[in-house]
Amino acid sequence: LVARVPFLHFFDGFRTSHELALVQPPADDTLRALFDEAAIRAHRERALTPEHPTIRGTAQNPDVFFQSREAANPYHDALPGLVRRTMDRYAELTGRRYRLFDYHGHPEAGRVLVLMGSGAETVHETVDALLAAGERVGVLRVRLYRPFAGADFVAALPRTTRAIAVLDRCKEPGAPAEPLHLDVIAALAQHGHGAFQTLPRTIGGRYGLSSKEFTPAMAKAVFDELSATVPRSPFTIGIHDDVTHLSLDFDPHWKSGAAAGVTACVFYGLGSDGTVSANKNSVQIIAAHTGRHAQGYFVYDSKKSGAMTVSHLRFGPGPIRSAYLIGAGEADFVACHQPAFLTRPELLAHAKPGATLLLNTPLAPGRLWASLPPLVRATIRGRNLRLYAIDAYALAAAQGMGRRINTVMQTAFFAISGVLPGEAAIAALKQSVEDSYGRKGRRLVEQNHAAIDATLAALHAIPVPERDEAADDGAGEAVHATIPADAPAFVRLVTAELLAGRGNELPVSALPADGSFPVGTARYEKRALALELPVWDEKLCIQCGKCPLVCPHAAIRAKLLTSGQADAAPAGFRSAPAKGKEYAGSGLRIVYQVAPEDCTGCNLCVEVCPVRDKSEHRRKALNMAPAEPLREPERANWAYFLQLPEADRSTTRIGLIRGAMLHEPLFEFSGACAGCGETPYLKLASQLFGDRMLVANATGCSSIYGGNLPTTPWAANRDGRGPAWANSLFEDNAEFGLGMRIALDQQREHAEALLRELADVLGTTLVEALLGADQSDEAGIAAQRLRVADLRTRLATLHDPRARRLEHFADALAKKSVWIVGGDGWAYDIGYGGLDHVLASDRDINILVLDTEVYSNTGGQTSKATPRGAVAKFSAGGKRVGKKDLALLAMDYGHVYVARVAFGAKDQQTLN
Ligand code: SF4
Ligand code: SF4
């Protein structure tokens, strides 16, 4: 308020916003003492008021605009001094001293790293290690980034500085250097002459984009580079750049030594199972009850629920500066909260010799050891790990807590990790339950207390045998070989590495330079999350098709097959004579098959199944059963199902759900939350229009489960056709889709014009058929595609440049279906201006609004689609005004067809 102009402290990423650490907040009185009451009053007096009006935001002309920009110079010039004085005042009040640029290191350092944000902590730690080794190095941390106080910067550096490396956590393509590097160069040019023995050589590099790991080993490599005769600039650190060769090599095994005396714990959980919340709670408990410093950092991808979460917790006697993940061989405690993750190679790699390993497993203690993969057993024995197991899912279910295993696993952690004495830990946990759930009622508190008590009885130490030759013999086998050998090269070379958690090791050359990725990769990510799988009873089933319609993951599907194909199926493959008059006398059979490793066990298909067994009312035509014994036989059945032919799109009764569900979904196995209510609509659209779809997808849940690496669900059929998909922003997605439509229309018009020009040589019969084709149904589209193929054959014989152009645009003659997709946050709120623009056009465009009545991807804030009074997670007060009627607004144009559907209310209406 005193400065009257905005300024920027620093620039950083996810690491700073998502790390938990023990901090000492200043008292409110201390903060109040920093306020300048007169400045606050002056600020208020400058506010717009009709009592003494002013005008702001005038449109200025060339005569005065320049001068008025310069008029603000004194305020920007004064700002560093104001910040400096405020920092000094803060030091007086608290004893904590900050400077515009804080230097740490040797007073006569020759090499200095300059950076800002969380990475500076890592370099601080590295500098300490290098100083201990006798090196003369230092780190300069930027605390006031803009305006950049060049004189202060130079003054903060040791006079002995010979070489400076500036690290920027960003990339500005086309710029001569990154922003901080440019500021440093300018500061040295303006203020550095005479301040040093010789002006320091300055190099710049990029690090940590998207919060990529930045470790002490990387910081040391940058210091080493500064010792080179001709250091590289620009450079990158933390990746392997085999394209432009900018990356510095580093030794990943080099450690700063800061881990000494620190307890490190790593937890592998499943999004929404409560692991991350429990670990945040543990950080608080341990910091409060031991007085130790604590740090928590949580790695999860944007898919959140249903994806792997990895929690990294550190506890130590002093401040923890390690702003990077717990690495291989560094963890004292490793927990695997989801049985499917145990075979991930990096999970056990975290464990240091003698560490404790806690498994959540449904296997009985006596059977557990023999059922572990040989490599896991060999690693446990080789590293002398202490092994504990608990069936947390069974215990949580028995306590009425469903799949929320957080209380059980947190209790088990405290019971065996030793970070708190046993009884004190349990008392602290129970108190934390009171604090968290007390306001929600005694029943919830007692339920959690009972779960804590039951955990102690259900936790088993698993003896590790001294000899285990079978494990030692098989220790060389890979345990996570999920990618079939016949998968496409990109999947084997890139997707497989991402799935195995080795994305950090991929070289630059492995990634597409233009961001175009192959489709249909979700089928290679076998998550095997379901604890129970649906089992089809072909005798009860009425073949209504509702189960594949409702499945959010396309994990139950229907196909027709001949009796010969049924006879050739694996034992246990079920099918039934196809019902319906269209199949009468055909001998065709139908199968509803579950993908056992892609089903999430959400139970929706069972819930929607309308058929009950009259002799056993609880039994339906689909029933959930324990997954483990089913997985192997169903894997074989699913493989057989996949190679059966797809339905003929021209002849199936697509207007009926059971007919439409025979069409192959080209949106499959998405990483959306188990039971997602949005994905069935996209899957249905892909079944109906997928082989000719273009999708413009606004950012939000649908862009995350639709286009988030490592795998994506939009897929292609056997002919190679399928939805082409691209993501754009809330504020321009509608126009983005409109552009797709306009481009397609332009291409079609161009192709039609060329057809007319070449009609004589191509044959008027074909040309007229192409120009007048009725493509209103599947048969018409299929016929047009055959005509286009015929056209291509004829064009290939022509030596005319127009023939080459027409070859290029020929596919535009077959119908394409453009879809603009997004949630209510996009359509009702932020993207509404663009959406309205598209609605006002007369183009052939489909708009699908996935209206969840709340901003779902960001956790639950009200949107204009939220009904009056509705309480959202981050809008606890309830919506004060009613829901906007988007459908009515669209109908107002008169030329827009509007359908408002929910298949839970009426599935046939949705299909219609
Ligand atoms: S349980 Fe859920 S994921 Fe599995 S097949 Fe049924 S609907 Fe699909
Ligand atoms: S919902 Fe039930 S009755 Fe309908 S197709 Fe599926 S299993 Fe058969």
Side-chain angles (χ1 to χ4, degrees), residues 534 547 550-553 555-556 594 598-606 624:
C547 48
V550 79
C551 178
H553 306 281
I556 183 166
V594 172
D598 302 293
C599 168
T600 62
C602 72
N603 200 42
L604 285 185
C605 54
V606 174
M624 297 304 274

Side-chain angles (χ1 to χ4, degrees), residues 574-599:
R574 295 164 200 224
S575 64
K579 296 186 201 289
K581 57 179 183 298
E582 67 271 35
Y583 305 122
S586 68
L588 285 174
R589 301 177 70 80
I590 195 164
V591 51
Y592 287 89
Q593 176 63 46
V594 172
E597 290 167 310
D598 302 293
C599 168

